[in-house]
Amino acid sequence: MPEGNIIHRLARVHHRWLVGRQFSADSPQGRFTQDARRLSGRTLVGVEAHGKHLFHHFEGGVHLHLHLGLVGNIRHFRCAGPPPSTACRLRLASPHATLHLSGPQRCELLSPEAEADLRARLGEDPLRPEASPSRAFEALRRGLAPLATVLLDQTRISGVGNILRAEALFLARLPPQLPAAELRPDDFERLWTALRELLEDAARDGRIVTPHAPPNALTLPGRRREDRFCVYDRVGQPCPRCATPITRLSLSGRGLFFCSRCQAHRRGRR
């Protein structure tokens, strides 16, 4: 599933490239036909990202909400574009820019009020300028679940996925299984800074490169070689700090990668 950096990158690209253009809209797949008619002929006036959610604001107060989920994909064309596939949920077309959306988890039209209600239920997004670190800190500390678990709760911090939680916890030298209620202010400050910097760099560059990640972090066929991680998906490989083999555990059905030495859970952290 795309993490917040990808969605913010899409929002920035769409803001530069698409805002101010008038689009025709249709649903080749047929599942969005009625709402596509409402969009057709409208001008895009703004684009925003909040965590893993993307919002396109069209004239007349019509807002398009997208959540790509696990298999969603947006294809971009600097022209009218080729014929869409039969899986295309929504096509936004103009003579100079066209989007084909397929496989989204959510594709819906919202009123401005409905969008505001949805975003009020989301956690703080480290990439948004109005994000409140203090609210994020208090949200993370609710309950006794492990810190690695609550980091994936989008109602606490928005935009963090499995890769970002692993790399940010490593950079902050925090044990993934630390009870979130035991998180101290100085721990959180390191974690928030790591998340914000990883997200910002990845949104700008289009790839996640963790500071101090080894150049050969991903060398297996089929992997994204431009991404470079310190711990994520590097089980058994040496930690960049201490050379301890990276550990993998299963937590809430997701792979959890960390250094058992650098990120050791020590009691009495309150």
Side-chain angles (χ1 to χ4, degrees):
M1 181 182 296
E3 301 192 35
N5 57 289
I6 294 176
I7 304 305
H8 275 271
R9 182 174 176 83
L10 284 173
R12 295 173 188 182
V13 170
H14 291 183
H15 182 80
R16 293 195 303 268
W17 185 27
L18 305 180
V19 166
R21 298 188 188 278
Q22 186 181 72
F23 290 91
S24 63
D26 67 338
S27 179
Q29 183 192 59
R31 293 180 58 184
F32 198 67
T33 299
Q34 184 173 350
D35 285 336
R37 292 195 187 104
R38 289 186 60 199
L39 283 179
S40 199
R42 296 181 187 270
T43 298
L44 184 65
V45 296
V47 185
E48 289 195 50
H50 190 134
K52 300 179 182 182
H53 298 257
L54 186 62
F55 302 92
H56 291 77
H57 299 162
F58 290 84
E59 64 180 341
V62 177
H63 292 191
L64 174 65
H65 167 227
L66 303 178
H67 188 296
L68 295 181
L70 289 173
V71 298
N73 182 51
I74 299 177
R75 299 177 66 197
H76 305 81
F77 307 96
R78 290 185 177 274
C79 58
S85 72
T86 56
C88 181
R89 181 79 55 86
L90 172 65
R91 172 172 55 179
L92 294 174
S94 76
H96 305 290
T98 298
L99 300 184
H100 291 180
L101 170 71
S102 61
Q105 179 175 310
R106 298 282 295 276
C107 174
E108 59 185 349
L109 297 187
L110 300 176
S111 67
E113 295 77 18
E115 178 184 324
D117 288 343
L118 186 158
R119 290 173 63 169
R121 298 192 296 270
L122 298 175
E124 300 297 313
D125 180 341
L127 283 183
R128 292 194 61 82
E130 76 278 10
S132 168
S134 62
R135 285 198 297 266
F137 176 52
E138 292 306 320
L140 284 180
R141 282 171 48 87
R142 291 197 301 266
L144 297 175
L147 181 57
T149 297
V150 301
L151 275 174
L152 296 186
D153 182 348
Q154 300 300 299
T155 67
R156 304 192 194 215
I157 291 186
S158 198
V160 178
N162 211 21
I163 296 174
L164 285 168
R165 79 162 173 181
E167 298 300 290
L169 286 169
F170 175 78
L171 291 177
R173 295 178 178 263
L174 287 172
Q177 294 171 299
L178 173 75
E182 295 181 15
L183 188 66
R184 301 179 305 197
D186 57 332
D187 293 333
F188 172 79
E189 185 175 351
R190 296 195 311 275
L191 178 60
W192 182 260
T193 298
L195 285 171
R196 189 178 63 246
E197 292 179 353
L198 283 170
L199 280 162
E200 182 55 55
D201 288 350
R204 181 192 65 230
D205 300 334
R207 61 189 186 274
I208 297 175
V209 178
T210 308
H212 314 302
N216 61 341
L218 289 180
T219 58
L220 298 177
R223 299 294 180 84
R224 287 171 50 91
R225 297 176 64 89
E226 65 269 29
D227 290 331
R228 286 170 49 186
F229 309 135
C230 286
V231 292
Y232 179 78
D233 211 15
R234 296 191 63 237
V235 61
Q237 298 183 51
C239 168
R241 288 197 192 110
C242 68
T244 300
I246 299 301
T247 297
R248 181 192 187 279
L249 296 177
S250 180
L251 185 65
S252 301
R254 304 288 296 275
L256 176 62
F257 302 89
F258 63 100
C259 174
S260 59
R261 182 176 179 183
C262 292
Q263 298 172 262
H265 184 188
R266 299 178 180 86
R267 298 295 179 182
R269 294 179 55 89
R270 284 187 182 274

